[in-house]
Amino acid sequence: MKKLPLIIVSLMLFASCATKKQILYFQDAEELNNLLSENIFEPEIEANDILHVMVSSLDENVVAPFKMNSQEGVSNNQNPLLRGYLVNNNGNIQFPVLGAIHVAGKTRGEVILLLTSKLSEYVTDVVVDVRIINFKVTVIGGVNNPGVYRIDDERVTLPQAIGLAGDLSLDGKRNNIMIIRHEDGKQKVTRVDFTKTDFFESPYYFLKQNDVVYVEPSLKGVKKSGFIPDIPALLSLVTIILSTTIILTR
């Protein structure tokens, strides 16, 4: 009977330990060998995106009327978002000379072709480039560095976003990562198991602008967050165990 407290404490410690299966990522990674990915990702432009549009030609004087005024003589310290075209709630940008141009629902490549076609009526050798300059994702919850991350090249995968946030914390739940996405005017929520690789072929492998990634805390993490109230409960449990042991050993 004297060994009873030791056995109980040992069982409690064993139960609180995470297993290798709960911690490791991509446990079926071998299934990815020679897998041809069908994911070709190019983000579609949405309302409230900010576009940087570069218009150029051999003769810069010819394309000058098609450039935003704020792009001329701008200091390097000015916020680049102030030099972009805001996509309004109707999905349009107001472009010099051309007026309202509908861009929502189009990819960056499609907008380049559209603007090039319209500007070619005025400039024969026009070159257009378009970038989304406020592309960002938010990673919160059980990660080491939660925050909002700006993505310069408009392309980020879920594993890359987790990496930007300093990886999952030890208390982050690996098999139930939530992704919140605004799509077609609605909020959509999906969950991803980071211990498996099946999401590599899903629409959520590449994140879209303004996606929110939430890593839920594990049960251990939840208990940690309330460790002060748990101390009396733990002391009570120890008291009960010791009292029971004393009674049984009499």
Side-chain angles (χ1 to χ4, degrees):
M1 291 294 180
K2 293 182 179 180
K3 294 183 178 179
L4 181 60
L6 179 61
I7 294 172
I8 293 175
V9 171
S10 298
L11 288 173
M12 290 172 63
L13 291 173
F14 178 78
S16 66
C17 295
T19 65
K20 184 177 180 181
K21 189 175 181 62
Q22 293 172 316
I23 295 295
L24 292 182
Y25 304 158
F26 316 142
Q27 295 173 28
D28 56 351
E30 289 76 13
E31 295 183 11
L32 293 177
N33 285 334
N34 301 318
L35 180 67
L36 294 176
S37 176
E38 296 180 359
N39 281 330
I40 301 176
F41 179 77
E42 190 173 4
E44 291 185 352
I45 294 167
E46 303 172 350
N48 298 316
D49 281 346
I50 299 177
L51 307 182
H52 176 73
V53 181
M54 179 68 69
V55 180
S56 59
S57 169
L58 291 176
D59 186 351
E60 287 299 310
N61 292 324
V62 177
V63 294
F66 303 99
K67 294 187 176 183
M68 183 180 291
N69 291 333
S70 61
Q71 290 179 333
E72 303 297 335
V74 176
S75 66
N76 292 331
N77 294 327
Q78 185 172 338
N79 186 344
L81 298 181
L82 299 178
R83 308 197 302 268
Y85 294 88
L86 176 65
V87 182
N88 64 25
N89 290 333
N90 295 322
N92 300 329
I93 59 172
Q94 292 297 324
F95 202 82
V97 180
L98 301 180
I101 302 293
H102 189 76
V103 296
K106 294 180 170 57
T107 65
R108 187 174 64 89
E110 289 170 341
V111 175
I112 289 174
L113 290 176
L114 175 61
L115 289 176
T116 300
S117 174
K118 289 182 175 296
L119 291 171
S120 294
E121 298 177 12
Y122 303 89
V123 184
T124 56
D125 63 343
V126 68
V127 176
V128 178
D129 189 31
V130 176
R131 297 281 179 180
I132 303 173
I133 56 178
N134 65 332
F135 192 111
K136 62 184 183 298
V137 296
T138 302
V139 187
I140 55 177
V143 292
N144 291 309
N145 297 304
V148 179
Y149 292 91
R150 177 180 168 184
I151 309 300
D152 291 330
D153 61 0
E154 308 168 9
R155 181 184 171 99
V156 63
T157 65
L158 177 58
Q160 287 171 336
I162 295 294
L164 288 172
D167 201 0
L168 301 180
S169 66
L170 292 178
D171 296 325
K173 201 169 183 180
R174 278 119 173 94
N175 64 351
N176 197 25
I177 296 175
M178 182 187 300
I179 300 174
I180 304 171
R181 173 172 295 177
H182 186 80
E183 200 169 53
D184 299 327
K186 300 178 181 179
Q187 296 290 347
K188 296 185 178 180
V189 177
T190 192
R191 296 176 186 272
V192 168
D193 185 347
F194 222 57
T195 66
K196 299 179 180 178
T197 59
D198 52 1
F199 74 92
F200 276 62
E201 293 300 305
S202 81
Y204 292 90
Y205 176 67
F206 287 103
L207 297 180
K208 294 181 62 177
Q209 62 268 46
N210 304 313
D211 276 358
V212 176
V213 178
Y214 171 59
V215 180
E216 292 185 3
S218 63
L219 180 59
K220 180 180 177 183
V222 172
K223 288 180 178 178
K224 271 187 176 182
S225 66
F227 69 95
I228 293 178
D230 281 349
I231 290 178
L234 182 60
L235 291 175
S236 298
L237 178 62
V238 172
T239 301
I240 293 171
I241 292 173
L242 290 176
S243 301
T244 304
T245 303
I246 291 172
I247 293 171
L248 293 175
T249 54
R250 284 181 178 178

